[in-house]
Amino acid sequence: MSFRTTSTDYVEDVSPGSGALPPRAWYASSDATSLSLNGDWRFRLSPTADAEDDSFAAEGYDAGGWAEVAVPGHWVLQGDGAFGAPIYTNHLYPFPVDPPRVPTANPTGDHLRVFDLPAAWPADGGAVIRFDGVESCARVWLNGTDIGEFKGSRLAHEFAVGHLLKPTGNVLAVRVHQWSAGSYLEDQDQWWLPGIFRDVTLLHRPAGSVLDFFVHASYDHVTGEGTLRVDSDVDGRVSVPALDIDVSTGEPVTVPVEPWSAETPRLYDGVLVTEGERVPLRIGFRTVVLEDGLIKVNGRAILFKGVNRHEWHPEKGRTLDLETMREDVLLMKRHNLNAVRTSHYPPHPAFLDLCDEYGLWVIDECDLETHGFTEQAWRDNPVDDDRWTPALLDRAARMVERDKNHPSVVMWSLGNEAGTGRGLTAMAEWIHGRDGSRLVHYEGDWNCRDTDVYSRMYADHAEVERIGQGLDGGTRKRRELPFIQCEYGHAMGNGPGGIADYQRIFERYERLQGGFIWEWIDHGIKHPELGYAYGGDFGEELHDGNFVCDGLIFPDRTPSPGLVEYKKVIEPVRIEGDAADGTVRITNAYDFADLSSLAFEWAYQIDGETVEAGSLSVPALTPGESAEAKLPQPPANGGSGEAQWTVRALLADDTAWGPKGHVVAWAQLPVTGRRPAPVAASTAPVPGERLITLGPAVFDARTGALTSVGGVDVTGLRLDVWRATTDNDEGASWQDDTRWGVLWRKYGLHRMQHRLDAVELGDDALTVRTRVAPAAWEVGLRTVYRWTSDGTRLKLTVSVAPEGDWKVPLPRLGIRFGLAEADRVEWFGGGPGEAYPDTRAASALGRWNSSVDELQTPYVRPQENGARADVRWAELGGLRIEGDPEFWFSARRWTSEQLDAAQHLTDLRSGDTVWVNLDHGQQGIGSQSCGPGPLPQYFLTAGPAEFSFVFSGTDQGTGQGTD
């Protein structure tokens, strides 16, 4: 075999590639024969693009000594580290910025697959090989013949290969380069993961087979009719049996139909038949327009309750199977989401099939981001350089042509964070010319020169309200366009906070048409030692830490508290009422669906326990319609205590996405308030040589520190103001002036010192006076602990008076103490999950129980978590604790300081002590890991405060009942 060399000039060529067929509509199946080439491929990794010649592509090449990788897959996630490692950056290019040049050190993976044609493979006709996704640049050979090269990692490319195929021993060779000129266009906030990560398929193309086709299926909301026209490059016929349609391609037909929407995703099965192929169609009739300054579908303005979705799997990266994609869609539907922005590239096309089937609005985004050019004020940005425009147009065309037949896609997005420039204008003009049935989106175009909507990311609440009021200024065109937040509510770690406040603003102003939470899933990579790895865990030269873990679900697809909160905030049925007169008002907040699919039920609860329940009759309200329903009389034998109604809307029957009884919306209506039981100060403290006793409690005589109550040992009880900072507390690096976590550490709130000023014994109280303050600063908290008892119960009243000029709010304000033993916790208060001042919409008042371990929220980077809000009482470790007023409760097997120091969950080690926090107040969470911080109403300002707790033993701890 002769030694041959291959030029690698194409790697740094700004063109999109050569040899590929024009883009066309993607479809999952037809009656034409196909062969999946997924599976184990032979693999060789080289350090540079030109380290090896192309002799490996020839027939007969012996690759027996090569390793193997799974295709689809990323080579850096295989081979136990032998094939390099992932790299995470948010926007910085991990190579010198010198477009279109890339480093000499350019990991290059040679892939080989030898395959035979199936026995049933037709002898006539042609064939194409389709690559659905390869990062970032690939050159392809079949049976020794170079058939082309391409860039555009998240885009489909097809090559004609029928003339090269043989019955057996076909050799498919693919050389993949990690870095290429295309990498400058793919600077999305994600892991850099090279490889053939989507399907590879061989498709037989019979004579007269389908080439490209465009399904136009509009809906007239006035007449209730749909018009279908299927344009096809190859003449044929289109039939839709359910509509009695049988027409030639290109011929329009108008018939009465049920329209498609995200809430009512009616699809009609049809078929496109040409001389050589039958292609199944799933047709949804809907019309998208910009009218009266609003995005309207089927004549109605819509409100996006959306999420940004990167494709992610903790072991396979951006390689997803159909069931994982279906799991995503079902989770979205079950949590009331109605929209997805495919950040920041077109997804696997099967995902869009699922959006069509189950019902989600989609903003389909092009595989384009040049964010790293911000570091040089956008100088040399490819989107404003004519040399790159063909590549940009190729990417736009490959997105539009592939995905144009999906009714779920209502907007095309030019890309993300790529500045502005002539290339984007060319893309917008081409898309508008090719598909006038959808709108064009791009967030970076604030003047809306090229777009049909005004889109922003992370605008704070006040600005969004001004936009809703039309007071935001800008160009005349912009002022006349609808507004969306394409990114908001940064779901990094604990949070996002403040989304209920955003939603109220969205619903108040017609111009505001909702938004998309950033983002769907934490991109943690499963790691044998760290649990889930994030940026920096693979020794990257540049990285952005755990900024890649900012999702509403954890890497294993478990919903986070943020997703549970979002479900509540955007629920499509509003339930309000006045429990005093037993009336509940139900409002349909859907855009299209009536309430016929829902059943309503009520429960009457005393102190968190249901004493009676039943169904509630609610009419099938149309969108926007309201009705009042009457609750029954409260049960006569309900007993005394804190009473409330809980009203829920549930699926009346199984649906495609949820089981019968799935809760869609709920509300709680208080009937009678809480009356904390008084504790008479009737027992005097008894001094001893080293100990003081007061009722069921024992104190250290010198320090006044509580050592036991009700026979339960207690350690370290004192005022606590520190919490392990959340990602949102730490804030984004560009927000130095208001990053609360940084300021808290600056002012020493993580290292408060406790000075004992006095221990005073009175006739009915033990009083301990202290001052809590950080070193180096003049500020402090004058803190008094006043202990009283009625003989069986112990009451602590904490009085706090700030001293000095406090320049920051407090992280928390309450007491912390340790218990030697505690496993289970029962409480009456908010639950079942965590809640904070601006993340408490989903916290339901009830009686809950949990293990201490289950109270923890496993954020990928450990941080403050697990607080339960509005707690009236809690029992654990033999103690019952009642609060006046209600309090936040948390318990964990490590201190806040240990939690603060941990970088991964595996850093946390259970100790012998369970540390309990009883908080009078907590600072809000906000979204400052990228967006705005907590709203002022959620600040925990340092001010005078007084709060009380009552301690008593439980049966477990003392053998005495306390109820």
Side-chain angles (χ1 to χ4, degrees):
M1 180 179 295
S2 62
F3 180 86
R4 295 178 295 167
T5 60
T6 300
S7 169
T8 59
D9 291 347
Y10 63 91
V11 173
E12 296 181 335
D13 192 333
V14 298
S15 75
S18 63
L21 295 169
R24 64 185 182 120
W26 189 95
Y27 47 93
S29 64
S30 78
D31 65 346
T33 305
S34 65
L35 174 66
S36 171
L37 297 178
N38 295 347
D40 292 332
W41 291 42
R42 290 292 183 176
F43 177 76
R44 174 181 66 187
L45 183 63
S46 304
T48 64
D50 58 357
E52 301 284 352
D53 62 51
D54 66 354
S55 60
F56 80 103
E59 299 175 77
Y61 182 87
D62 182 8
W66 288 20
E68 287 189 345
V69 293
V71 170
H74 305 279
W75 71 67
V76 293
L77 297 182
Q78 304 181 59
D80 294 325
F83 304 142
I87 299 170
Y88 168 60
T89 60
N90 168 30
H91 78 280
L92 296 174
Y93 289 105
F95 48 79
V97 179
D98 183 22
R101 304 297 303 276
V102 295
T104 300
N106 187 358
T108 296
D110 290 334
H111 299 70
L112 270 180
R113 175 80 152 84
V114 179
F115 64 94
D116 300 334
L117 295 179
W121 192 270
D124 62 338
V128 301
I129 189 166
R130 184 178 69 212
F131 295 88
D132 283 318
V134 182
E135 182 176 334
S136 73
C137 173
R139 193 169 195 97
V140 185
W141 295 262
L142 182 62
N143 293 331
T145 298
D146 182 353
I147 60 175
E149 48 85 14
F150 62 93
K151 308 177 189 75
S153 297
R154 270 67 70 173
L155 300 162
H157 295 80
E158 291 183 331
F159 297 88
V161 297
H163 60 295
L164 300 174
L165 289 173
K166 56 186 184 176
T168 61
N170 292 283
V171 178
L172 177 59
V174 185
R175 173 164 285 170
V176 181
H177 308 281
Q178 174 153 20
W179 310 122
S180 70
S183 301
Y184 284 99
L185 304 180
E186 296 173 5
D187 190 27
Q188 293 100 336
D189 175 11
Q190 61 182 354
W191 294 97
W192 299 86
L193 298 172
I196 306 172
F197 68 94
R198 287 185 186 159
D199 307 286
V200 182
T201 311
L202 183 69
L203 304 166
H204 179 242
R205 308 312 297 140
S209 61
V210 171
L211 294 178
D212 192 21
F213 63 96
F214 197 160
V215 177
H216 302 275
S218 61
Y219 177 71
D220 187 328
H221 66 278
V222 177
T223 66
E225 294 177 319
T227 299
L228 175 66
R229 188 187 82 243
V230 178
D231 295 334
S232 174
D233 287 356
V234 175
D235 291 342
R237 295 195 68 80
V238 175
S239 62
V240 186
L243 298 175
D244 291 326
I245 291 176
D246 186 358
V247 296
S248 298
T249 53
E251 180 181 338
V253 59
T254 300
V255 294
V257 297
E258 298 175 37
W260 187 98
S261 75
E263 296 164 9
T264 56
R266 179 66 164 97
L267 293 174
Y268 290 91
D269 289 321
V271 63
L272 167 62
V273 180
T274 64
E275 178 187 352
E277 189 173 13
R278 296 174 59 90
V279 176
L281 305 176
R282 303 210 77 192
I283 302 166
F285 291 87
R286 56 105 186 95
T287 296
V288 183
V289 296
L290 180 63
E291 184 178 84
D292 303 324
L294 299 172
I295 304 163
K296 292 185 179 180
V297 179
N298 301 336
R300 296 181 180 177
I302 60 175
L303 184 65
F304 292 118
K305 302 172 181 179
V307 68
N308 287 273
R309 175 187 175 269
H310 269 294
E311 294 183 304
W312 188 252
H313 187 281
E315 296 173 83
K316 300 177 182 178
R318 283 188 287 279
T319 296
L320 299 185
D321 58 44
L322 180 62
E323 288 312 305
T324 300
M325 290 186 267
R326 189 186 308 275
E327 183 181 352
D328 279 348
V329 171
L330 292 178
L331 272 174
M332 291 175 187
K333 294 292 290 187
R334 290 169 184 167
H335 287 84
N336 293 331
L337 277 77
N338 71 2
V340 176
R341 175 177 174 232
T342 69
S343 52
H344 298 293
Y345 43 83
H348 190 292
F351 179 77
L352 298 179
D353 285 341
L354 295 168
C355 294
D356 295 342
E357 178 182 355
Y358 292 102
L360 289 167
W361 309 118
V362 174
I363 298 180
D364 197 356
E365 192 148 87
C366 195
D367 190 8
L368 172 62
E369 181 167 335
T370 62
H371 199 173
F373 285 90
T374 58
E375 298 301 312
Q376 53 200 58
W378 297 107
R379 188 176 63 255
D380 297 327
N381 184 11
V383 305
D384 201 29
D385 183 335
D386 291 339
R387 295 175 302 161
W388 294 81
T389 299
L392 302 181
L393 290 172
D394 180 75
R395 288 173 183 245
R398 291 189 180 279
M399 170 183 68
V400 171
E401 303 295 10
R402 193 197 75 169
D403 297 342
K404 59 183 176 285
N405 294 327
H406 291 280
S408 57
V409 177
V410 294
M411 275 196 266
W412 303 115
S413 180
L414 303 180
N416 185 69
E417 292 177 315
T420 57
R422 291 162 289 175
L424 288 166
T425 299
M427 293 170 70
E429 290 175 348
W430 184 90
I431 293 173
H432 277 120
R434 175 59 174 149
D435 179 20
S437 69
R438 295 177 173 93
L439 306 184
V440 171
H441 165 272
Y442 178 64
E443 184 273 339
D445 181 15
W446 284 17
N447 289 327
C448 303
R449 180 182 64 179
D450 301 322
T451 63
D452 299 312
V453 296
Y454 177 29
S455 175
R456 291 284 302 281
M457 53 176 68
Y458 307 110
D460 63 28
H461 299 75
E463 183 179 3
V464 172
E465 181 135 28
R466 289 195 300 273
I467 293 169
Q469 295 168 334
L471 303 177
D472 54 304
T475 63
R476 177 177 177 180
K477 179 182 178 183
R478 189 179 91 181
R479 294 196 306 272
E480 294 174 347
L481 292 180
F483 175 82
I484 64 169
Q485 281 256 65
C486 69
E487 293 179 24
Y488 81 110
H490 198 252
M492 185 176 177
N494 188 333
I499 57 174
D501 305 275
Y502 271 120
Q503 193 65 24
R504 283 190 286 271
I505 300 170
F506 292 157
E507 294 179 3
R508 188 178 304 143
Y509 302 101
E510 189 179 47
R511 184 190 183 192
L512 307 180
Q513 294 198 251
F516 297 78
I517 295 290
W518 185 269
E519 64 163 303
W520 177 238
I521 188 169
D522 287 341
H523 302 202
I525 295 177
K526 194 169 184 180
H527 192 283
E529 298 171 2
L530 303 176
Y532 290 108
Y534 50 76
D537 288 334
F538 297 97
E540 300 101 307
E541 180 181 39
L542 292 174
H543 68 86
D544 286 285
N546 68 311
F547 200 71
V548 78
C549 294
D550 47 13
L552 291 172
I553 60 175
F554 297 123
D556 65 357
R557 285 182 157 73
T558 300
S560 77
L563 181 58
V564 177
E565 175 82 356
Y566 194 37
K567 174 188 177 181
K568 175 61 180 166
V569 166
I570 60 175
E571 60 189 11
V573 180
R574 286 196 290 274
I575 305 171
E576 303 159 307
D578 181 357
D581 66 4
T583 299
V584 61
R585 186 172 183 83
I586 309 294
T587 302
N588 181 350
Y590 284 111
D591 292 326
F592 294 92
D594 63 26
L595 300 189
S596 59
S597 65
L598 302 180
F600 290 79
E601 64 178 27
W602 57 266
Y604 188 78
Q605 295 157 327
I606 300 290
D607 290 340
E609 298 278 14
T610 297
V611 296
E612 195 169 323
S615 60
L616 187 67
S617 178
V618 175
L621 302 172
T622 58
E625 191 177 9
S626 298
E628 292 187 348
K630 199 70 175 176
L631 294 166
Q633 288 294 318
N637 59 348
S640 61
E642 187 174 358
Q644 67 178 8
W645 297 98
T646 297
V647 180
R648 303 193 299 170
L650 314 95
L651 290 180
D653 296 291
D654 291 345
T655 70
W657 53 265
K660 177 181 180 180
H662 168 79
V663 177
V664 173
W666 59 271
Q668 293 184 316
L669 313 174
V671 178
T672 59
R674 174 180 177 236
R675 295 184 295 274
V679 177
S682 57
T683 300
V686 179
E689 182 178 348
R690 290 184 298 175
L691 300 174
I692 300 170
T693 60
L694 176 61
V698 178
F699 299 82
D700 183 290
R702 184 180 64 85
T703 64
L706 177 69
T707 60
S708 70
V709 57
V712 176
D713 290 341
V714 176
T715 184
L717 188 149
R718 64 185 188 182
L719 190 79
D720 191 18
V721 300
W722 181 246
R723 72 184 187 196
T725 52
T726 68
D727 291 314
N728 287 304
D729 290 338
E730 291 294 344
S733 59
W734 57 87
Q735 298 168 323
D736 286 330
D737 291 344
T738 57
R739 296 168 66 193
W740 297 120
V742 174
L743 291 171
W744 290 338
R745 293 182 200 277
K746 173 183 176 180
Y747 290 110
L749 301 192
H750 60 310
R751 50 177 177 78
M752 301 291 275
Q753 298 183 18
H754 296 251
R755 186 184 75 204
L756 177 62
D757 288 343
V759 178
E760 302 169 354
L761 277 69
D763 292 339
D764 61 356
L766 169 64
T767 302
V768 180
R769 302 185 184 278
T770 69
R771 188 174 189 270
V772 182
W777 298 97
E778 81 282 9
V779 297
L781 299 170
R782 187 72 64 177
T783 306
V784 178
Y785 307 91
R786 186 173 188 271
W787 299 93
T788 59
S789 176
D790 62 1
T792 59
R793 295 179 295 170
L794 177 71
K795 181 176 183 179
L796 166 63
T797 300
V798 182
S799 301
V800 180
E803 298 178 335
D805 182 16
W806 281 85
K807 298 183 182 300
V808 291
L810 300 173
R812 71 178 345 134
L813 180 66
I815 61 169
R816 179 176 74 170
F817 59 89
L819 299 176
E821 294 183 11
D823 183 42
R824 302 293 306 179
V825 181
E826 184 173 0
W827 74 98
F828 174 35
E834 73 180 25
Y836 291 83
D838 54 351
T839 66
R840 63 195 301 173
S843 181
L845 181 62
R847 191 160 173 169
W848 311 99
N849 66 80
S850 168
S851 70
V852 169
D853 295 336
E854 290 168 342
L855 289 176
Q856 316 311 310
T857 303
Y859 295 113
V860 174
R861 186 192 73 81
Q863 56 198 272
E864 166 62 33
N865 73 89
R868 269 57 179 180
D870 303 312
V871 175
R872 279 75 166 145
W873 57 258
E875 293 183 356
L876 78 164
L879 280 185
R880 179 182 175 94
I881 306 157
E882 301 172 67
D884 185 12
E886 295 77 30
F887 58 98
W888 270 273
F889 168 85
S890 57
R892 52 179 67 101
R893 300 187 188 278
W894 36 78
T895 65
S896 294
E897 291 74 19
Q898 291 167 328
L899 182 62
D900 199 25
Q903 295 300 304
H904 296 86
L905 290 171
T906 51
D907 294 336
L908 294 170
R909 299 286 187 269
S910 297
D912 297 330
T913 302
V914 170
W915 291 96
V916 178
N917 277 93
L918 311 177
D919 292 317
H920 176 62
Q922 279 267 2
Q923 169 85 347
I925 296 295
S927 186
Q928 202 171 2
S929 51
C930 192
L935 288 166
Q937 61 262 38
Y938 303 119
F939 288 179
L940 181 59
T941 304
E946 184 171 286
F947 48 93
S948 299
F949 300 102
V950 176
F951 301 86
S952 55
T954 66
D955 291 343
Q956 178 185 0
T958 65
Q960 302 179 65
T962 59
D963 291 337

